[in-house]
């Protein structure tokens, strides 16, 4: 039997239902770092501080902590208090003393098929040079630096350079646009912005520098702009403010001391969407975040020196921060970074990359899988994907059809899928399989070591098996965000007040009889569109910024590939007519202010919106109506 027909036969045998368990193969078990999940889980549950202290010992500290966990000022927990540390020392400096300095850190492929590889030693040199550049621009410990770039190696270089000198990076995803960027620059008070002249995505050029210029008009606090040349196209230039990356790097020294930080010093802030129109910046620290991301990567992806690991997310989101930049480098891994779109120029682009570089671990979002699944299995079949040994999924629930396709046609029915549930707020994986965990398609399985998760009802009582409730976390963990930058009250309010003493995730979930967790989705006004996190309120405020719009409501409706699609309802100001042209103009307007990912699928003009007596838009009513479903309890509806 040929490999192909064997695969087909296996595919036919697999019928997915929620009770079927997929046990790991003997080969997977044989090489797994953690073979007995239960024993270590029990140990971590009984002795969480000892468990995390032992993990922290695997990293290098300038000075040891005095206390593993300080919970004297809840919910502002502190980890490894008094420890002297820098994550960059662990991501780069310590590899300079071993053979790993000559190991490849990143293999990069541009959408135009250009290629680069960079060793740990070369990466370290570039980071040192850019750290010196930042210093020469006046950046000091604690200062925020906004990074708005495409997927180039210089993005991690800029992040690491900030962390090396103790500056706090704030990466804004390159798919965001003027208003989103301006708001984040202002909120973080960044005087330095690092960007690119442009980026190649899906065969087009994203004019990053143009967007940055427009954003700075709204956020004139920016004094210096560093521009990395990627496209070479003509761009606007402000003398004195703008500097080419390559000009500044030319004279920068490749030697730079890594700043000795306190474990609890801020490493980065990252903006994410919540239920209000104002995005919030979650703050992560050097010590706890490092220990947590390092450990989760080691145990879940079982990363080994001979691996070639590819996380296909964008470095500008938390997945990229944790699992493209920091955790892989701390683990001394070789990672792939691909610049462009998954189906460019053909729907086998991802599979050709897996084959070309012999990728062993592939980590991506269900939306990516669903998008490529549409083109059919003949595309992955064109390529030898036998190097793969583990797969990963993140960002939204993976539906059984996509799971099955990924498992069979990408993983050759031999690679377990690590369906990792976590959030910007959690820093790293929270509910996740390990390679040895028997899998159920669509379930993220069990809490990671030391994580106490519970699904509860409105009153905070655990729900019986199989019943839906709210996902909460009962005990602190080292990778948790420490606060919302500049707004500690909002941090307490959003995450710690609904169930006092517990972290509220904003997700609904259920736990089955075997203790497996099934994530259902958000219970707040947060949407996942193509795995990206957006707030309905942000889309609404983008619409209202158009002169024709008096009021707007945005909802998410199920979408086959993107998970959610944004539908909007608009009340026009007097004197405007709801023509198809205006609807299209409004769609484009949202794309322009927020970014193309937020562009609504549909703009519908209405005379009224369903509201509560206190004036809150009842999005669930709009949602039910749009889907032709029962509208539920309408007692709070005003009319
Ligand atoms: C959702 C992404 C189901 C969830 C790392 C969460 C998931 C939100 C999964 C956080 C998963 C993430 N299964 N849902 N494996 N992973 N989510 O902050 O709703 O961009 O609350 O972090 O994504 O999104 P964020």
């Amino acid at each position: 039997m040929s490999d192909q027909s064997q695969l087909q036969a296996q595919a036919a045998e697999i019928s997915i239902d929620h009770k079927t368990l997929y046990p790991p193969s003997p080969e997977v078990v044989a090489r797994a770092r953690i073979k007995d999940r239960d024993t270590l889980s029990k140990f971590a549950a009984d002795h969480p501080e000892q468990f995390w202290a032992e993990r922290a010992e695997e990293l290098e500290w300038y000075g040891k902590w005095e206390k593993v966990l300080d919970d004297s000022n809840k919910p502002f927990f502190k980890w490894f208090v008094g420890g002297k540390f820098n994550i960059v020392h662990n991501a780069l400096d310590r590899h300079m003393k071993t053979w790993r300095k000559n190991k490849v850190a990143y293999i990069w492929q541009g959408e135009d098929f250009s290629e680069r590889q960079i060793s740990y030693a070369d990466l370290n040199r570039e980071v040192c040079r850019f750290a010196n550049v930042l210093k020469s621009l006046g950046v000091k410990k604690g200062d925020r630096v906004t990074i708005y770039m495409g997927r180039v190696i210089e993005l991690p270089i800029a992040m690491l350079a900030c962390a090396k000198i103790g500056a706090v990076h704030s990466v804004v995803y390159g798919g965001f646009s003027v208003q989103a960027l301006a708001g984040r620059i202002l909120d973080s008070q960044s005087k330095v912005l690092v960007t690119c002249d442009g980026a190649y995505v899906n065969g087009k050029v994203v004019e990053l520098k143009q967007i940055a210029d427009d954003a700075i008009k709204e956020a004139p606090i920016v004094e210096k702009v560093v521009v990395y040349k990627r496209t070479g196209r003509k761009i606007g230039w402000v003398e004195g403010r703008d500097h080419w990356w390559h000009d500044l790097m030319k004279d920068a020294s490749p030697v730079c001391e890594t700043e000795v930080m306190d474990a609890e010093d801020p490493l980065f802030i990252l903006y994410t969407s919540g239920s209000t129109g104002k995005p919030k910046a979650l703050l992560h620290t050097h010590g706890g975040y490092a220990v947590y991301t390092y450990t989760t990567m080691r145990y879940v992806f079982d990363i080994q020196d001979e691996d070639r690991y590819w996380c296909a997310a964008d470095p500008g989101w938390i997945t990229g921060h944790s699992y493209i930049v920091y955790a892989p480098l701390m683990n001394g891994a070789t990672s792939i970074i691909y610049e462009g779109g998954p189906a460019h120029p053909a729907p086998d682009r991802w599979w050709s990359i897996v084959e070309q570089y012999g990728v062993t671990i592939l980590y991506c979002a269900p939306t990516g899988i669903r998008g490529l699944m549409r083109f059919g299995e003949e595309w992955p079949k064109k390529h030898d994907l036998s190097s793969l040994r583990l797969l990963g999924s993140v960002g939204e629930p993976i539906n059984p059809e996509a799971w099955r396709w990924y498992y069979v046609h990408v993983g050759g029915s031999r690679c377990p899928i690590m369906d990792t549930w976590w959030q910007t707020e959690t820093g790293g994986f929270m509910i996740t399989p390990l390679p040895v965990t028997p899998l159920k398609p669509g379930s993220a399985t069990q809490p990671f070591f030391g994580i106490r998760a519970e699904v509860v009802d409105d009153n905070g009582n655990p729900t019986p098996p199989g019943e839906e409730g709210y996902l909460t976390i009962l005990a602190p963990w080292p990778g948790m965000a420490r606060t919302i930058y500049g707004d500690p009250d909002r941090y307490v309010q959003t995450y710690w007040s609904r169930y006092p003493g517990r972290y509220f995730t904003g997700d609904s979930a259920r736990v089955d009889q075997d203790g497996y967790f099934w994530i259902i989705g958000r219970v707040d006004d947060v949407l996942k569109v193509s795995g990206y996190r957006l707030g309905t309120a942000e889309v609404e405020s983008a619409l209202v910024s158009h002169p024709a719009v008096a009021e707007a409501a945005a909802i998410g409706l199920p979408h086959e590939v993107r998970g959610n699609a944004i539908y909007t309802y608009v009340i026009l100001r007097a004197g405007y007519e709801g023509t198809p042209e205006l609807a299209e103009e409004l769609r484009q307007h949202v794309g322009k202010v927020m970014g193309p990912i937020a562009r609504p699928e549909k703009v519908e003009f209405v005379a009224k919106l369903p509201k509560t007596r206190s004036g809150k838009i009842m999005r669930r009513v709009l949602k039910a109506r749009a889907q032709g479903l029962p509208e539920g309890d309408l007692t709070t509806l005003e009319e």
Side-chain angles (χ1 to χ4, degrees):
M1 218 190 219
S2 74
D3 276 350
Q4 300 251 314
S5 51
Q6 210 165 1
L7 261 182
Q8 272 159 351
Q10 280 168 341
E13 275 167 30
I14 294 172
S15 76
I16 286 172
D17 67 65
H18 287 183
K19 279 165 257 135
T20 311
L21 274 185
Y22 288 76
S25 67
E27 298 82 66
V28 169
V29 177
R31 69 165 294 163
R33 214 176 235 122
I34 305 290
K35 295 197 172 31
D36 177 359
R37 180 170 189 158
D38 293 347
T39 306
L40 193 55
S41 273
K42 188 170 180 327
F43 175 77
D46 294 343
H47 313 279
E49 292 185 33
Q50 189 186 338
F51 174 78
W52 288 117
E54 283 171 12
R55 303 289 74 73
E57 299 278 7
E58 294 172 27
L59 295 173
E60 281 187 12
W61 296 72
Y62 299 115
K64 192 158 172 163
W65 55 88
E66 286 139 25
K67 211 166 181 216
V68 178
L69 171 67
D70 175 357
D71 58 1
S72 59
N73 183 23
K74 294 183 183 117
F76 299 100
F77 297 94
K78 290 181 179 162
W79 285 86
F80 309 109
V81 185
K84 298 289 175 203
F85 189 82
N86 190 311
I87 197 167
V88 176
H89 177 88
N90 285 279
L92 294 174
D93 305 7
R94 73 176 175 139
H95 302 314
M96 297 307 112
K97 296 174 284 188
T98 74
W99 64 273
R100 278 204 193 88
K101 69 174 188 240
N102 293 322
K103 186 176 171 178
V104 174
Y106 289 119
I107 301 173
W108 178 86
Q109 190 171 97
E111 198 177 73
D112 57 2
F113 292 94
S114 50
E115 286 178 275
R116 274 170 79 188
Q117 297 204 358
I118 190 165
S119 67
Y120 273 87
D122 289 340
L123 183 64
N124 182 52
R125 191 157 47 234
E126 294 299 287
V127 168
C128 287
R129 289 167 72 204
F130 198 65
N132 285 322
V133 165
L134 290 173
K135 282 186 181 172
S136 73
L137 296 175
V139 176
K140 296 198 179 56
K141 180 173 171 176
D143 288 352
R144 278 80 51 217
V145 173
T146 296
I147 301 175
Y148 178 66
M149 301 175 88
R151 278 183 216 164
V152 284
I153 295 178
E154 281 65 24
L155 172 47
I157 291 173
M159 292 164 70
L160 292 157
C162 287
K164 186 176 179 81
I165 62 171
V168 178
H169 58 73
S170 167
V171 180
V172 177
Y173 167 57
F176 274 136
S177 200
V178 179
Q179 185 178 301
L181 177 59
R184 287 156 173 78
I185 292 173
L186 279 177
D187 188 78
S188 64
Q189 294 284 295
S190 300
K191 294 195 188 115
V192 174
L193 172 71
V194 186
T195 188
C196 298
D197 55 352
Y200 294 109
V201 186
N202 294 320
K204 294 189 212 102
V205 172
V206 184
E207 304 284 357
L208 294 172
K209 175 64 164 61
Q210 179 61 52
I211 296 170
D213 285 343
D214 291 346
I216 296 171
K217 284 190 197 123
E218 289 175 36
I221 167 178
V222 173
E223 291 166 8
K224 298 282 174 198
V225 179
V226 183
V227 188
Y228 176 74
K229 189 186 267 183
R230 169 68 185 119
T231 65
R233 283 156 61 111
K234 204 169 147 22
I235 53 170
W237 201 259
V238 176
E239 274 314 319
R241 185 196 73 182
D242 298 353
H243 302 270
W244 284 113
W245 174 291
H246 55 262
D247 282 343
L248 296 174
M249 288 288 265
K250 227 174 19 219
D251 305 322
S253 155
V255 180
C256 178
E257 279 286 305
T258 303
E259 187 80 24
V260 176
M261 306 290 285
D262 283 323
E264 280 290 312
D265 277 338
L267 167 62
F268 66 83
I269 55 176
L270 184 59
Y271 286 86
T272 192
S273 301
S275 348
T276 75
K278 190 174 179 286
K280 52 198 172 189
L282 276 311
L283 183 143
H284 284 282
T285 55
H286 271 260
Y289 173 82
V291 173
Y292 197 71
T293 54
Y294 167 83
T295 305
T296 45
M297 170 114 194
R298 217 168 163 72
Y299 290 176
V300 175
F301 285 136
D302 206 15
I303 193 85
Q304 310 278 353
D305 263 321
E306 61 275 24
D307 272 318
R308 287 209 156 167
Y309 161 81
W310 181 22
C311 169
D314 194 281
W317 296 84
I318 192 66
T319 307
H321 281 52
S322 299
Y323 298 107
I324 296 177
V325 182
Y326 290 111
L329 295 177
M330 281 188 284
N331 278 287
T334 296
S335 300
I336 283 72
I337 297 179
Y338 165 56
E339 177 182 42
H344 191 84
D348 61 345
R349 186 63 189 265
W350 273 16
W351 319 130
S352 77
I353 292 173
V354 170
E355 177 173 22
Q356 184 180 351
Y357 300 122
V359 171
T360 55
I361 304 169
L362 173 64
Y363 186 36
C364 65
T367 184
I369 299 301
R370 289 193 299 262
L372 294 173
M373 193 169 102
R374 274 186 313 170
F375 296 104
E377 65 240 37
E378 56 270 30
W379 293 97
K381 278 208 183 106
K382 284 181 204 277
H383 297 276
D384 177 2
L385 306 181
S386 60
S387 58
L388 288 168
R389 69 177 178 83
L390 276 179
L391 301 174
S393 171
V394 60
E396 51 180 325
I398 181 163
N399 49 309
E401 297 78 354
W403 195 97
R404 175 177 188 275
W405 195 85
Y406 195 25
Y407 187 75
V408 175
H409 298 296
V410 180
S413 304
R414 103 191 145 258
C415 310
I417 300 177
M418 302 297 104
D419 179 356
T420 59
W421 175 85
W422 59 295
Q423 308 177 300
T424 305
E425 291 85 346
T426 71
F429 311 150
M430 295 291 281
I431 299 180
T432 173
L434 298 184
V436 296
T437 308
L439 302 174
K440 298 185 188 186
S443 168
T445 77
Q446 291 162 345
F448 190 71
F449 304 115
I451 300 301
R452 289 177 58 203
E454 201 169 77
V455 175
V456 298
D457 63 19
D458 278 323
N459 302 318
N461 300 315
T463 51
E467 224 163 86
E468 185 174 341
Y470 302 106
L471 179 60
T472 62
I473 312 290
L474 278 82
W477 65 101
M480 68 200 302
R482 298 301 191 261
T483 189
I484 292 176
Y485 175 76
D487 201 348
D489 293 343
R490 187 172 175 195
Y491 176 71
V492 177
Q493 187 55 36
T494 310
Y495 304 109
W496 300 92
S497 6
R498 177 138 182 187
Y499 298 104
R502 289 168 189 248
Y503 169 77
F504 176 60
T505 63
D507 277 342
S508 63
R510 56 194 167 81
V511 183
D512 68 17
Q513 300 85 323
D514 302 324
Y516 276 45
F517 285 68
W518 299 77
I519 311 297
I520 296 162
R522 301 291 307 187
V523 293
D524 53 10
D525 298 321
V526 169
L527 292 180
K528 279 293 186 135
V529 179
S530 301
Y532 296 129
R533 183 163 157 182
L534 296 172
T536 50
E538 292 168 89
V539 178
E540 289 161 4
S541 86
L543 279 168
V544 177
S545 73
H546 189 282
V549 179
E551 243 189 296
I555 57 168
L557 290 182
H559 186 280
E560 207 185 322
V561 174
R562 277 173 271 158
N564 276 292
I566 303 175
Y567 278 63
T568 58
Y569 300 86
V570 166
I571 302 179
L572 290 175
R573 285 182 192 282
Y576 286 93
E577 209 187 315
T579 59
E581 292 73 37
L582 181 58
E584 183 54 27
E585 186 181 323
L586 292 177
R587 284 186 65 238
Q588 300 304 338
H589 175 75
V590 175
K592 193 152 184 288
V593 286
M594 288 235 357
I597 42 163
R599 201 183 291 139
E601 184 85 1
K602 196 167 170 201
V603 175
E604 197 176 314
F605 299 109
V606 293
K608 269 186 199 153
L609 288 168
K611 284 190 189 158
T612 60
R613 280 179 205 103
S614 58
K616 229 177 142 225
I617 296 170
M618 293 177 80
R619 294 194 184 83
R620 74 174 166 81
V621 173
L622 287 170
K623 226 170 144 161
R625 238 172 244 182
Q627 298 180 91
L629 299 170
E631 290 171 17
D633 181 5
L634 295 179
T635 46
T636 54
L637 187 68
E638 192 196 29
E639 50 187 303

